[in-house]
Amino acid sequence: MTSDYDELISLLKPHGQQHLLRFWDKLNPVQQQELGEEIRRLDIGVLTAARSGAGQDATHDLSRAVIPPAIRLQQPDRETWAQSAQHLGAEALSAGKVGCLLVAGGQGSRLGFDHPKGMFSIGPVSGASLFQILLEKIVATRDRYGAAVPLFLMTSPATDDETVAYLSEQRNFGLAEDDVHIFCQGTLPAIDAQMHKLLLAEPGHLALSPDGHGGMLEALKRSGGLDALRRRGVEHLFYFQVDNPLAQVCDPETIGAHLMAQSEYTLQVVNKRDPGERVGVVVSIDGQMRVVEYSDLPAEAAAERAPDGGLKLWAGSIAVHMFAVDFLQRMAADPQSLPLHRALKKVPYLDEQGRTVQPQQPNAIKLERFIFDLLPHAARGLVVEVDPAAAFAPVKNAPGEKIETPEYVQDYLMAQARRWLAAAGAEVAEGVRVEISPRFALDAAELATKINSGTKITRDTYFT
Ligand code: UTP
């Protein structure tokens, strides 16, 4: 009978990774079992794929890139169009055909917060967490349209336990238990910078990290999420990320645009004005749509101008998407087909003597899958331009950085509250902090029904 050790060696040896069992004899039986499970779960094929660079960062001929079918903010018929789109979106919401997909499995390393990022307090007056603000938008949408909007929430091994406990303690901020499906994404191993060896984080644990927001497809399928969507009759999923409290969750106009175009993959985009803005751009090359990351966009292509003086490649993705569930189902037949992206990062690891090394310089390759790599597979796609002031303010960085810090995001939230209050005829005194709970008003029109014109706001106020 072969021992666990022998079996694991036979798995690792063909790939030159026996060093992962270097400390085997120092582990107790439970630790040995855990390490064995990690190694068995490991798709060691990713090592070969990562080394070959298969599928990743392919160079595209951006000289042929054009903007895909787009709804622009300033187009002459936008008002009339918006009314029809909103109507269609509202119908789909009332019929229970729309669900939400929130990805919250990231490690939030730039922000440097020790808990899942969704628990980060961001409400400028209330201190509400990102989860609270985003989930309350779903609750308010459910109440407005009179139909459940199920939430599929992706965590990772790094965020799962705490997220589950937090949401249970907060009673999902008002969402029914049956309408919250939490599922955990998979992990991928870190490899040394020379791409020779997988790294150990501890004697009994590999250095693993979440497999990127693209891990959503596989995890949704494995957890039974796709089947649940079918069972519930959900036909379209509104995808957003946990770090953007301004996300227009289930915006009926975007949903309607997606339906009108019979799109399989719709993206909210913003008009990129400065070539240096660090957002991916949505392009179409020979009829196939894709998102080109800012790091892959050559400076000349980024700076090229259209006849109207704007950037030729103007459609900056803000990571808010609509997916047809049929499309996801089709794509999920082979979730591994999403390419692996490599990034050189600082990854703590165990050296040969078993000491933990905290590298000062990037030392290892982390692997990730990106959700937008699904886009080229969509039979029909669409981009819908939105106003960044009303849709996009992600918390990415720790205080002290230039942009996308907590303070920067709070300024966006307060500026939006001030605009809505001004539109309702209220006066907000200089320097006063204002915040509107999504449960109080989801948009400026709803707020106007609740605030009397002429109201004066002279101290910090949370409308709830
Ligand atoms: P980011 O790419 O900003 O990564 O994630 P991050 O992990 O939150 O932050 P850094 O880069 O470590 O500072 C964008 C969105 O995708 C989710 C995040 O939770 C966030 O909502 N995400 C990212 C996942 O759900 N899983 C991942 O593996 C990566």
Side-chain angles (χ1 to χ4, degrees):
M1 201 178 92
T2 54
S3 67
D4 274 357
Y5 180 85
D6 292 337
E7 182 220 327
L8 294 169
I9 280 287
S10 70
L11 286 175
L12 295 172
K13 206 164 175 190
H15 303 276
Q17 303 300 314
Q18 311 86 295
H19 63 281
L20 296 177
L21 297 178
R22 184 178 283 139
F23 304 106
W24 184 258
D25 290 340
K26 299 207 170 75
L27 303 178
N28 65 35
V30 175
Q31 292 168 323
Q32 288 180 343
Q33 198 187 343
E34 282 175 5
L35 179 60
E37 276 166 22
E38 276 183 17
I39 292 173
R40 287 187 199 94
R41 261 203 310 268
L42 190 69
D43 172 10
I44 205 141
V46 298
L47 192 58
T48 322
R51 282 178 182 150
S52 75
Q56 82 148 14
D57 304 340
T59 44
H60 304 291
D61 183 359
L62 290 166
S63 66
R64 294 207 304 280
V66 293
I67 290 296
I71 305 288
R72 298 296 312 250
L73 265 181
Q74 303 301 342
Q75 67 191 43
D77 62 344
R78 171 96 183 202
E79 280 292 294
T80 348
W81 170 86
Q83 276 175 13
S84 330
Q86 273 171 20
H87 182 72
L88 219 57
E91 257 179 17
L93 283 162
S94 303
K97 291 185 179 166
V98 182
C100 283
L101 182 66
L102 170 56
V103 291
Q107 293 173 307
S109 44
R110 282 169 289 173
L111 179 62
F113 179 55
D114 239 7
H115 303 279
K117 212 193 244 186
M119 291 168 62
F120 190 77
S121 157
I122 199 69
V125 183
S126 67
S129 65
L130 287 160
F131 275 137
Q132 176 170 352
I133 294 176
L134 293 169
L135 267 60
E136 286 189 349
K137 290 189 184 194
I138 307 176
V139 169
T141 304
R142 172 198 73 191
D143 293 348
R144 178 181 285 190
Y145 297 99
V149 180
L151 168 66
F152 291 78
L153 171 62
M154 185 168 87
T155 58
S156 63
T159 64
D160 190 64
D161 288 349
E162 255 189 292
T163 302
V164 169
Y166 175 71
L167 291 183
S168 147
E169 204 174 284
Q170 300 295 335
R171 296 169 185 264
N172 303 320
F173 295 105
L175 282 172
E177 199 63 34
D178 277 356
D179 293 338
V180 180
H181 303 254
I182 301 179
F183 64 104
C184 188
Q185 70 180 105
T187 53
L188 283 167
I191 317 172
D192 67 12
Q194 292 71 39
M195 306 272 266
H196 291 148
K197 292 200 155 74
L198 299 180
L199 300 179
L200 279 174
E202 293 172 39
H205 288 291
L206 309 182
L208 297 170
S209 46
D211 57 358
H213 36 62
M216 173 282 259
L217 192 60
E218 209 252 334
L220 190 65
K221 178 181 175 186
R222 179 171 26 84
S223 65
L226 282 175
D227 295 336
L229 285 164
R230 283 257 163 261
R231 251 195 333 273
R232 297 186 65 124
V234 173
E235 294 176 8
H236 304 277
L237 267 186
F238 191 99
Y239 167 100
F240 56 109
Q241 304 192 331
V242 78
D243 51 23
N244 179 17
L246 223 55
Q248 298 169 329
V249 179
C250 289
D251 167 46
E253 201 172 301
T254 306
I255 299 172
H258 172 82
L259 294 172
M260 266 193 237
Q262 297 187 315
S263 167
E264 290 192 319
Y265 191 152
T266 299
L267 304 94
Q268 281 194 345
V269 293
V270 294
N271 186 16
K272 198 178 153 190
R273 289 168 202 275
D274 171 4
E277 258 173 72
R278 291 157 73 89
V279 286
V281 289
V282 191
V283 301
S284 173
I285 303 175
D286 302 332
Q288 200 175 47
M289 280 173 69
R290 62 179 64 250
V291 175
V292 181
E293 277 193 277
Y294 61 84
S295 48
D296 294 338
L297 190 63
E300 343 50 284
E304 208 180 323
R305 297 276 161 187
D308 68 0
L311 291 175
K312 179 178 164 218
L313 303 181
W314 60 266
S317 170
I318 60 167
V320 174
H321 313 312
M322 286 288 311
F323 297 112
V325 171
D326 279 347
F327 170 64
L328 290 182
Q329 193 104 38
R330 206 166 75 231
M331 290 295 100
D334 183 12
Q336 306 293 330
S337 67
L338 284 178
L340 289 168
H341 292 258
R342 301 185 295 219
L344 191 61
K345 298 257 169 108
K346 286 188 254 178
V347 178
Y349 67 99
L350 221 54
D351 69 9
E352 289 177 14
Q353 283 71 45
R355 292 172 305 217
T356 300
V357 182
Q358 296 286 350
Q360 299 305 310
Q361 300 298 328
N363 63 312
I365 306 286
K366 273 190 175 184
L367 302 171
E368 275 189 293
R369 293 194 162 90
F370 295 159
I371 194 65
F372 53 73
D373 283 323
L374 289 176
L375 183 56
H377 301 280
R380 281 169 307 282
L382 176 71
V383 299
V384 180
E385 185 189 347
V386 293
D387 175 5
F392 186 52
V395 198
K396 298 280 187 196
N397 298 320
E401 295 293 326
K402 278 208 190 80
I403 57 162
E404 299 179 348
T405 61
E407 206 183 327
Y408 166 100
V409 174
Q410 291 185 333
D411 286 347
Y412 264 74
L413 291 167
M414 289 190 287
Q416 185 182 55
R418 279 179 169 266
R419 281 195 309 276
W420 289 6
L421 286 160
E427 282 173 41
V428 183
E430 191 84 10
V432 160
R433 295 169 78 82
V434 280
E435 180 184 348
I436 298 165
S437 157
R439 297 189 72 163
F440 188 76
L442 253 186
D443 50 33
E446 187 173 12
L447 186 75
T449 65
K450 298 190 172 172
I451 298 283
N452 293 329
S453 180
T455 304
K456 292 193 180 2
I457 298 153
T458 52
R459 56 188 153 94
D460 296 355
T461 310
Y462 177 45
F463 294 88
T464 186

PDB file of all heavy atoms in Angstrom, residues 429-441:
ATOM      1  N   ALA A 429     -25.726  73.753   3.794  1.00  0.00           N
ATOM      2  CA  ALA A 429     -24.718  74.756   4.176  1.00  0.00           C
ATOM      3  C   ALA A 429     -23.310  74.258   3.858  1.00  0.00           C
ATOM      4  O   ALA A 429     -23.052  73.049   3.869  1.00  0.00           O
ATOM      5  CB  ALA A 429     -24.846  75.062   5.665  1.00  0.00           C
ATOM      6  N   GLU A 430     -22.476  75.185   3.584  1.00  0.00           N
ATOM      7  CA  GLU A 430     -21.056  74.929   3.288  1.00  0.00           C
ATOM      8  C   GLU A 430     -20.440  74.042   4.373  1.00  0.00           C
ATOM      9  O   GLU A 430     -20.700  74.234   5.562  1.00  0.00           O
ATOM     10  CB  GLU A 430     -20.357  76.296   3.268  1.00  0.00           C
ATOM     11  CG  GLU A 430     -18.951  76.310   2.742  1.00  0.00           C
ATOM     12  CD  GLU A 430     -18.932  76.400   1.212  1.00  0.00           C
ATOM     13  OE1 GLU A 430     -19.998  76.642   0.593  1.00  0.00           O
ATOM     14  OE2 GLU A 430     -17.875  76.213   0.672  1.00  0.00           O
ATOM     15  N   GLY A 431     -19.635  73.072   3.970  1.00  0.00           N
ATOM     16  CA  GLY A 431     -18.875  72.283   4.950  1.00  0.00           C
ATOM     17  C   GLY A 431     -19.675  71.193   5.662  1.00  0.00           C
ATOM     18  O   GLY A 431     -19.112  70.429   6.439  1.00  0.00           O
ATOM     19  N   VAL A 432     -20.987  71.143   5.387  1.00  0.00           N
ATOM     20  CA  VAL A 432     -21.814  70.140   6.067  1.00  0.00           C
ATOM     21  C   VAL A 432     -21.715  68.813   5.315  1.00  0.00           C
ATOM     22  O   VAL A 432     -21.690  68.773   4.095  1.00  0.00           O
ATOM     23  CB  VAL A 432     -23.279  70.645   6.115  1.00  0.00           C
ATOM     24  CG1 VAL A 432     -24.257  69.521   6.350  1.00  0.00           C
ATOM     25  CG2 VAL A 432     -23.413  71.708   7.194  1.00  0.00           C
ATOM     26  N   ARG A 433     -21.619  67.718   6.084  1.00  0.00           N
ATOM     27  CA  ARG A 433     -21.520  66.390   5.446  1.00  0.00           C
ATOM     28  C   ARG A 433     -22.927  65.807   5.304  1.00  0.00           C
ATOM     29  O   ARG A 433     -23.699  65.798   6.269  1.00  0.00           O
ATOM     30  CB  ARG A 433     -20.652  65.452   6.297  1.00  0.00           C
ATOM     31  CG  ARG A 433     -19.201  65.912   6.381  1.00  0.00           C
ATOM     32  CD  ARG A 433     -18.427  65.136   7.423  1.00  0.00           C
ATOM     33  NE  ARG A 433     -18.016  63.803   6.988  1.00  0.00           N
ATOM     34  CZ  ARG A 433     -16.937  63.566   6.246  1.00  0.00           C
ATOM     35  NH1 ARG A 433     -16.168  64.575   5.851  1.00  0.00           N
ATOM     36  NH2 ARG A 433     -16.622  62.335   5.893  1.00  0.00           N
ATOM     37  N   VAL A 434     -23.246  65.337   4.107  1.00  0.00           N
ATOM     38  CA  VAL A 434     -24.568  64.728   3.899  1.00  0.00           C
ATOM     39  C   VAL A 434     -24.405  63.359   3.249  1.00  0.00           C
ATOM     40  O   VAL A 434     -23.510  63.137   2.445  1.00  0.00           O
ATOM     41  CB  VAL A 434     -25.491  65.611   3.003  1.00  0.00           C
ATOM     42  CG1 VAL A 434     -26.118  66.733   3.802  1.00  0.00           C
ATOM     43  CG2 VAL A 434     -24.757  66.151   1.788  1.00  0.00           C
ATOM     44  N   GLU A 435     -25.309  62.471   3.636  1.00  0.00           N
ATOM     45  CA  GLU A 435     -25.278  61.107   3.084  1.00  0.00           C
ATOM     46  C   GLU A 435     -26.713  60.614   2.980  1.00  0.00           C
ATOM     47  O   GLU A 435     -27.540  60.896   3.860  1.00  0.00           O
ATOM     48  CB  GLU A 435     -24.478  60.194   4.027  1.00  0.00           C
ATOM     49  CG  GLU A 435     -24.398  58.754   3.547  1.00  0.00           C
ATOM     50  CD  GLU A 435     -23.689  57.828   4.538  1.00  0.00           C
ATOM     51  OE1 GLU A 435     -23.058  58.333   5.497  1.00  0.00           O
ATOM     52  OE2 GLU A 435     -23.809  56.602   4.367  1.00  0.00           O
ATOM     53  N   ILE A 436     -27.001  59.883   1.893  1.00  0.00           N
ATOM     54  CA  ILE A 436     -28.373  59.383   1.706  1.00  0.00           C
ATOM     55  C   ILE A 436     -28.334  57.858   1.663  1.00  0.00           C
ATOM     56  O   ILE A 436     -27.641  57.275   0.814  1.00  0.00           O
ATOM     57  CB  ILE A 436     -28.962  59.949   0.397  1.00  0.00           C
ATOM     58  CG1 ILE A 436     -29.026  61.480   0.507  1.00  0.00           C
ATOM     59  CG2 ILE A 436     -30.351  59.360   0.116  1.00  0.00           C
ATOM     60  CD1 ILE A 436     -29.242  62.180  -0.809  1.00  0.00           C
ATOM     61  N   SER A 437     -29.052  57.230   2.555  1.00  0.00           N
ATOM     62  CA  SER A 437     -29.113  55.766   2.525  1.00  0.00           C
ATOM     63  C   SER A 437     -29.902  55.339   1.296  1.00  0.00           C
ATOM     64  O   SER A 437     -30.934  55.948   0.976  1.00  0.00           O
ATOM     65  CB  SER A 437     -29.808  55.260   3.790  1.00  0.00           C
ATOM     66  OG  SER A 437     -30.335  53.973   3.552  1.00  0.00           O
ATOM     67  N   PRO A 438     -29.466  54.278   0.601  1.00  0.00           N
ATOM     68  CA  PRO A 438     -30.235  53.792  -0.555  1.00  0.00           C
ATOM     69  C   PRO A 438     -31.671  53.443  -0.173  1.00  0.00           C
ATOM     70  O   PRO A 438     -32.567  53.504  -0.999  1.00  0.00           O
ATOM     71  CB  PRO A 438     -29.478  52.543  -0.998  1.00  0.00           C
ATOM     72  CG  PRO A 438     -28.108  52.703  -0.440  1.00  0.00           C
ATOM     73  CD  PRO A 438     -28.252  53.507   0.816  1.00  0.00           C
ATOM     74  N   ARG A 439     -31.885  53.120   1.105  1.00  0.00           N
ATOM     75  CA  ARG A 439     -33.253  52.770   1.505  1.00  0.00           C
ATOM     76  C   ARG A 439     -34.118  54.007   1.636  1.00  0.00           C
ATOM     77  O   ARG A 439     -35.339  53.919   1.626  1.00  0.00           O
ATOM     78  CB  ARG A 439     -33.237  51.962   2.808  1.00  0.00           C
ATOM     79  CG  ARG A 439     -32.507  50.644   2.606  1.00  0.00           C
ATOM     80  CD  ARG A 439     -32.644  49.738   3.775  1.00  0.00           C
ATOM     81  NE  ARG A 439     -33.990  49.178   3.875  1.00  0.00           N
ATOM     82  CZ  ARG A 439     -34.294  48.122   4.605  1.00  0.00           C
ATOM     83  NH1 ARG A 439     -33.361  47.515   5.302  1.00  0.00           N
ATOM     84  NH2 ARG A 439     -35.516  47.672   4.654  1.00  0.00           N
ATOM     85  N   PHE A 440     -33.493  55.152   1.789  1.00  0.00           N
ATOM     86  CA  PHE A 440     -34.255  56.399   1.856  1.00  0.00           C
ATOM     87  C   PHE A 440     -34.583  56.860   0.434  1.00  0.00           C
ATOM     88  O   PHE A 440     -35.726  57.208   0.129  1.00  0.00           O
ATOM     89  CB  PHE A 440     -33.429  57.458   2.591  1.00  0.00           C
ATOM     90  CG  PHE A 440     -34.183  58.725   2.876  1.00  0.00           C
ATOM     91  CD1 PHE A 440     -35.119  58.784   3.901  1.00  0.00           C
ATOM     92  CD2 PHE A 440     -33.968  59.871   2.111  1.00  0.00           C
ATOM     93  CE1 PHE A 440     -35.824  59.957   4.158  1.00  0.00           C
ATOM     94  CE2 PHE A 440     -34.664  61.041   2.363  1.00  0.00           C
ATOM     95  CZ  PHE A 440     -35.597  61.076   3.386  1.00  0.00           C
ATOM     96  N   ALA A 441     -33.590  56.845  -0.415  1.00  0.00           N
ATOM     97  CA  ALA A 441     -33.824  57.209  -1.827  1.00  0.00           C
ATOM     98  C   ALA A 441     -32.763  56.551  -2.693  1.00  0.00           C
ATOM     99  O   ALA A 441     -31.577  56.596  -2.393  1.00  0.00           O
ATOM    100  CB  ALA A 441     -33.765  58.722  -2.000  1.00  0.00           C
TER     101      ALA A 441
END
